[in-house]
Amino acid sequence: MIFLKLNENTDFNELCKIISPDKIGQKIMQKKIKIHFIYIKNIRTAAANILKQDALRVGAELVTHKEVVTAGISHSNALLMATCEQIEKLIKKEAMQDFGLKNLALFLQKQFIKPKKPKLMAVLNINKDSFNPKSRTDEKHFQSRLEELLELKPEFIDIGAVSSRPGSVYCGAKEEFKRLKKSLDLIYAQNYYKKAIFSLDSFDEYSLEYALNKGFGLINDISGLKNENLAKLACQYKAKYCLMHMQNEPCNMQDNPHYEDVLDELTQFFTQKLEILHKYGVKESILDVGIGFGKSAWHNMILIKHLGHFLQFDKPLLIGASRKSVINAYFKSKVEERLPASLYLHLKAFENGASIIRTHDLYEHKQMFKLQSVMQELSL
């Protein structure tokens, strides 16, 4: 016999191709290969004791405050640790319980499905004040720069003409459209829009509708649907809509951002806004937690680490941490020096559930994710 300690992230199904187990047995065992952590805030002591007993009966575990068992406190935070198989059993049990445990059963029923491969969104800005000089171009060089990006075959190309860097002030709708018009016309005239999904990074109705008429397929709205007419546009043109969270406005968003619970507050935001998008008939929406938009460095890291929480909405998740100041907060660096950390944050974001990676460094990300996919597919 030979013994090999394998990486715990090794693809179970790829290993089974080598071992050739019974198919039914493989399906059963697949539900046991990972322990899921469900953090429960402010659970009543009675509910915690019921859940504890139910968890133990199915082989799972619930971590609670030490005084829960004696009813010395009224509420506790808790951590449920369970496999997929155990969660399936707990759903049935908690659906019949009181003390709010029916709501836990509903939450456990949600699917948290991670993407198998990321899609890349290249950034091209037609303005002089975007925080990363590498992303900037002008009318004279726009076409050649665009063709360079298209050669790398990104799934998305995000065009912008307005900076949303911290402290920036909106230039106005007329100036934004003035910067955009020739480039939008060129994209349509040269049929570039057929080679990728073109996105306009804007919240201006006029510019967005003009872009949609020029073959664009995605509204990238950093304002978080403050203008519901953008949802109407997305529906009218059958376009995708990217819903991003931002606390306050670009001019003041980084003035001491504060949340009681950043994960919960963004959950409430997406829940409310998705209801509006559904009301207007938007078929394809994308969620963006808004890295750097009204978030401290710690908030940004927490959102990337626990990005899988937002998979509950069953929508693609977009992450754009490319060269942002969160990197400088932990490792002093200029914008042009932040490629390694950008790659790291985007790799972790994908591993934690991101479907779309918005990047200023398309070539380097294509290379990284190619190697990541090869590594992921290795059985041994």
Side-chain angles (χ1 to χ4, degrees), residues 307-368:
L307 195 62
H309 171 74
F310 300 104
L311 290 171
Q312 64 179 286
F313 293 107
D314 194 26
K315 301 291 183 184
L317 305 178
L318 182 150
I319 282 288
S322 185
R323 297 183 181 260
K324 289 187 175 178
S325 61
V326 59
I327 299 167
N328 184 61
Y330 293 104
F331 192 96
K332 294 300 179 184
S333 51
K334 299 176 183 177
V335 171
E336 58 269 24
E337 298 169 335
R338 299 175 190 166
L339 175 59
S342 298
L343 290 164
Y344 172 79
L345 290 176
H346 284 158
L347 177 60
K348 300 311 292 185
F350 166 66
E351 291 174 347
N352 294 334
S355 294
I356 303 169
I357 303 298
R358 184 179 184 273
T359 176
H360 300 102
D361 305 286
L362 182 59
Y363 175 85
E364 292 84 352
H365 279 70
K366 294 266 307 187
Q367 185 183 90
M368 177 188 70

Side-chain angles (χ1 to χ4, degrees), residues 17 19 22 37 71 92 137 205 209 290 295 298 317 355:
K17 290 179 182 179
I19 301 170
D22 177 78
F37 281 18
K92 296 177 182 178
T137 188
E205 258 184 85
E209 184 161 17
K295 318 286 191 308
W298 184 84
L317 305 178
S355 294

